[in-house]
Amino acid sequence: MTTLGMPINYAGDFRETIDNLTDFEDVGVQRITVPEAYSFDAVSQLGYIAAKTRTMELQTGILPMYSRTPTNLAMTAAGLDYISGGRAVLGIGASGPQVIEGFHGVKYDFPLGRAREHADICRKVWRREKLEYQGKHYHLPLTKEDGGSGLGKPLKLINHPVRDRIPMLLAAIGPKNVALAAELFEEFQPFLFHPEHVQAAFGESLDEGKAKRDPSLGDLKIVVQTAVRITEDADEIERTLTIVRHHAALYIGGMGARGKNFYNSLVQRYGYVDEAKEIQDLYLDGRKDEAAAAVPDDLVKAMSLIGPRSFVAEQVDAFEKAGVGVILGAPSAIDHRDRVEDMRVLSEIVSR
């Protein structure tokens, strides 16, 4: 059965949002995810949310690999799992060089190899094994030969984790990272997800990774974040689609340089080659409204849950047929009661 989740926004009054979170939990929202780009950290917020909720899964969405060591990520996830009674989902990703090198001052290199070693090390920590690991990027303990003092010891986590395997999610859209997610992670979160083009964009990579997948991991869950507005009001539908359109233009056009924009490349794999170039040219020239207007209507509608209930139900079916196991619905109504009602209806659709 598909899990219904909800993301928390970067902006807004956090305490007010969380004080209202139980309203969403009561109508069937099963997961909450908090982003971490170059904003406030996600973990402290999720710790607060853990105390305010009862059953929601708590997903980091997404912790950059470069700003924490693998062991620190494992400790953090185990701590969040402990205070929440086993509700943590560790979402990690590579981010991009503009953030990693610009904000963190850390070299952006070998994202694929680092993701693999993060998964290996985190699971060793949760199993309370002594940390002896000689990877290409991480060496535990750090020996003199690898640049350490030689005094490091192979330690294991002091505490006993609630679970010895916390679900791990990899945010990925590039072919090699998608293959790695399908091989080694419980969940995989793409971006700007178009259910009708999943095979063209990800099919070969998913097949490659699943062929090497350990059966103990279970089936791979695809996690999709999408805007939600369930209404027959044409003006309200257009208002919400416009938000999605501008959000898509930001990533397709502005998140990266020409020739180094992962989201632009993804949309090209969907088949929007000329459109992707036009959006990027307009956005980087500062013509952001024109860039948003250039985002194809069918792309905007396909990656959203916006419209009458019947249309939203069709879209949910399309997501599920494409392999989606978790829908992170961002309620987009202006009024809180309407947002809760939209998520209640979506919960009914998802659990039918």
Side-chain angles (χ1 to χ4, degrees):
M1 182 179 292
T2 304
T3 297
L4 177 60
M6 189 177 81
I8 294 293
N9 205 323
Y10 292 108
D13 187 320
F14 177 77
R15 286 181 179 271
E16 180 182 350
T17 299
I18 304 311
D19 286 344
N20 290 324
L21 200 55
T22 53
D23 294 342
F24 293 101
E25 192 172 40
D26 290 342
V27 298
V29 177
Q30 302 159 293
R31 178 183 294 196
I32 199 76
T33 179
V34 176
E36 182 180 295
Y38 44 101
S39 55
F40 295 140
D41 81 286
V43 179
S44 61
Q45 297 174 70
L46 284 167
Y48 186 82
I49 291 171
K52 293 287 187 177
T53 56
R54 306 177 301 277
T55 60
M56 282 180 168
E57 293 178 325
L58 310 171
Q59 177 196 324
T60 58
I62 301 293
L63 298 185
M65 294 183 296
Y66 295 90
S67 56
R68 296 173 176 86
T69 66
T71 308
N72 181 274
L73 276 175
M75 294 168 64
T76 298
L80 183 60
D81 212 43
Y82 169 63
I83 64 169
S84 66
R87 292 188 277 145
V89 178
L90 177 59
I92 65 172
S95 186
Q98 288 187 326
V99 173
I100 298 305
E101 296 184 355
F103 191 70
H104 294 288
V106 177
K107 187 176 181 180
Y108 186 88
D109 61 357
F110 305 108
L112 191 70
R114 290 185 185 277
R116 180 180 290 277
E117 294 186 18
H118 270 75
D120 290 343
I121 293 169
C122 281
R123 286 170 178 153
K124 287 176 73 73
V125 170
W126 299 329
R127 292 193 299 263
R128 296 191 71 245
E129 297 176 6
K130 286 188 176 181
L131 281 186
E132 295 178 299
Y133 188 86
Q134 294 302 312
K136 181 177 180 180
H137 310 289
Y138 301 100
H139 305 275
L140 300 169
L142 189 66
T143 64
K144 278 188 175 181
E145 292 76 16
D146 295 317
S149 67
L151 300 176
K153 292 184 177 182
L155 303 175
K156 64 181 178 180
L157 190 69
I158 294 174
N159 309 81
H160 288 260
V162 174
R163 294 180 289 176
D164 63 6
R165 173 165 277 176
I166 295 169
M168 294 189 72
L169 174 154
L170 183 66
I173 55 177
K176 292 182 179 179
N177 270 322
V178 171
L180 179 67
E183 175 191 349
L184 209 58
F185 287 75
E186 282 88 355
E187 302 183 359
F188 147 59
Q189 185 168 342
F191 194 65
L192 303 177
F193 185 80
H194 194 311
E196 295 176 13
H197 296 304
V198 65
Q199 189 62 33
F202 306 120
E204 186 176 338
S205 298
L206 290 172
D207 290 343
E208 177 187 337
K210 288 177 181 178
K212 305 174 186 175
R213 187 175 180 82
D214 185 339
S216 68
L217 287 170
D219 293 336
L220 177 70
K221 291 183 180 179
I222 299 179
V223 180
V224 171
Q225 184 167 322
T226 180
V228 177
R229 184 68 180 104
I230 304 175
T231 178
E232 297 188 8
D233 185 317
D235 290 338
E236 183 65 1
I237 290 171
E238 185 54 36
R239 179 192 70 82
T240 316
L241 288 173
T242 298
I243 295 172
V244 175
R245 194 181 300 280
H246 279 269
H247 185 67
L250 167 64
Y251 282 86
I252 299 168
M255 285 293 185
R258 284 187 176 89
K260 195 67 174 178
N261 180 322
F262 306 129
Y263 310 103
N264 192 281
S265 298
L266 172 64
V267 171
Q268 290 188 48
R269 295 206 303 275
Y270 287 158
Y272 304 103
V273 177
D274 294 337
E275 296 90 337
K277 182 182 185 305
E278 181 184 9
I279 293 164
Q280 186 175 59
D281 287 343
L282 289 168
Y283 201 96
L284 294 180
D285 286 344
R287 298 154 66 184
K288 296 180 181 179
D289 288 343
E290 292 177 63
V295 178
D297 289 342
D298 61 326
L299 173 60
V300 174
K301 292 176 181 178
M303 63 186 188
S304 307
L305 297 177
I306 299 171
R309 176 173 178 147
S310 59
F311 174 80
V312 169
E314 290 175 2
Q315 284 299 103
V316 169
D317 284 341
F319 280 168
E320 292 177 342
K321 288 176 182 176
V324 173
V326 181
I327 294 175
L328 301 175
S332 303
I334 296 171
D335 182 75
H336 173 68
R337 286 182 298 180
D338 288 339
R339 291 194 291 270
V340 173
E341 176 61 13
D342 281 352
M343 296 305 284
R344 183 194 69 77
V345 174
L346 184 55
S347 177
E348 285 184 356
I349 292 171
V350 167
S351 61
R352 66 201 182 288

